[in-house]
Structure formats: C-alpha cells, structure tokens
Amino acid sequence: MKVTSTAIPDVLSIEPKVFGDTRGFFFESFNQRVFEEATGFSASFVQDNHSRSSRGVLRGMHYQINNPQGKLVRVVRGAVFDVAVDIRRSSPTFGRWVGVELSEDNHRQLWVPPGLAHGFLVLSEMADFLYKTTEYYAPNKERCIAWNDPDIGINWPDVGVGPILSSKDQLGKEFVMAEVYA
C-alpha cells in the first residue's frame, strides 16, 4: 500500500495495491500488520460502520470528547469529499483542515487519528461510506462543529445542491465554542 501524509501529518491517505483485469479487481482493504508497518500507528478497531447518502448530504464535523475515535474511512460506491479538522490544542496544526476525495474508483482510504473532527460531503448521486473506528460510538460524548465555521474555513466543493444536513449537524457549534482536546 502507498501511504501519503497530508497537510496534517497524522492524517494519512492510504492507497491499496489493486489487482485488476477484464473480470474486475481485487484488493486487500485492511491488514493489521501491513497497516501498522505502513503508517507507524498501532490501531485496534472495535466497530465498523456503513452509511449511505445521496448527493449533497454533508455529515459532520463529528468527534467524541473524552472518548476519541480513530477512523479508517473509505468509499465503496460513489464519491465523497472527506475532511478532517485538527482539534488538538497542543498540535502545531490545531484548527487546520485537510480534504481528500475518496471514491469507488480511486479506492483511497483516509486514516483520521483520534483527536480530530471528521465529516464528508457526497459528490456522486449516491455514496456508500465505510469506516472502522478505534472506540465504540458513545452518543453522550459525541460533539459537532459547524461544517461552515468561518475560523476553520473548509472549502467544500459545489455539488449543485445542499448541503443537506441532519438536525443534529445543523446545531454544530462554532469552533471557538467547541470542546477540544488538550
């Protein structure tokens, strides 16, 4: 697999080796040993999630306070613009964001380590989004930063509709008011 650092060095773009021919393709989507060797992170995943969303749906920017989740994310159908925001106050990239297109065609994955907020915008008609997490979902610890916070300034692509937000995501806090990590 090819691992590339992003503008937030702990956030890694991971491209698996894909074997393809006229019949289709095959790739190993996760291998613990290879992941640890390639990334330098030792992650134990405890939960897999799958979401399906239509064009213009924006989910985020989510995180769990006092129960941070690392996430290994990928798209198996469609395409999304996937975003991570560093909310670790002690980090040199605190308050910065990085965005990567993940799609069924590029097979790219993104490693979002604990201590970052995460979200995505669906670019295709429909997208199936998969993610492995290092901690269990804890609704009472879940937090949301506004997707359009001016201090963060995420440059979301224009998909011609939306963004379509859940009621929870419509209530996302401004970054200056959000609970963050030390």
Side-chain angles (χ1 to χ4, degrees):
M1 76 174 56
K2 178 182 173 187
V3 177
T4 307
S5 287
T6 65
I8 300 173
D10 293 345
V11 178
L12 303 175
S13 174
I14 300 171
E15 296 179 51
K17 186 170 184 177
V18 179
F19 302 92
D21 59 27
T22 57
R23 300 169 298 155
F25 67 84
F26 169 86
F27 69 92
E28 196 170 68
S29 61
F30 181 75
N31 178 304
Q32 185 76 32
R33 182 179 60 243
V34 173
F35 177 82
E36 290 178 6
E37 289 171 359
T39 65
F41 291 100
S42 178
S44 176
F45 295 104
V46 299
Q47 185 173 325
D48 282 4
N49 301 311
H50 183 153
S51 72
R52 176 173 287 165
S53 305
S54 57
R55 180 188 306 277
V57 168
L58 193 152
R59 297 183 185 270
M61 299 299 298
H62 302 148
Y63 64 102
Q64 290 187 169
I65 200 71
N66 301 323
N67 190 46
Q69 291 179 307
K71 297 177 181 178
L72 182 61
V73 301
R74 66 189 181 110
V75 170
V76 294
R77 177 183 177 198
V80 306
F81 183 66
D82 197 68
V83 176
V85 175
D86 192 342
I87 60 171
R88 302 168 296 182
R89 192 173 300 282
S90 61
S91 171
T93 56
F94 177 70
R96 290 180 50 197
W97 67 274
V98 62
V100 175
E101 184 173 327
L102 306 177
S103 74
E104 67 181 292
D105 295 326
N106 69 23
H107 307 289
R108 187 176 294 135
Q109 298 179 46
L110 196 67
W111 165 243
V112 181
L116 281 82
H118 174 258
F120 64 90
L121 171 66
V122 178
L123 306 174
S124 54
E125 285 304 311
M126 186 75 61
D128 281 350
F129 188 86
L130 304 179
Y131 50 109
K132 303 174 92 48
T133 64
T134 60
E135 287 294 334
Y136 296 103
Y137 175 63
N140 61 330
K141 297 180 187 228
E142 185 177 35
R143 303 292 186 270
C144 182
I145 295 172
W147 66 276
N148 59 351
D149 183 273
D151 291 330
I152 297 172
I154 298 169
N155 186 19
W156 296 100
D158 181 1
V159 296
V161 296
I164 303 164
L165 304 169
S166 70
S167 55
K168 175 176 67 173
D169 290 350
Q170 290 176 18
L171 300 174
K173 289 190 175 188
E174 291 181 17
F175 186 54
V176 296
M177 303 300 289
E179 294 175 80
V180 296
Y181 295 101

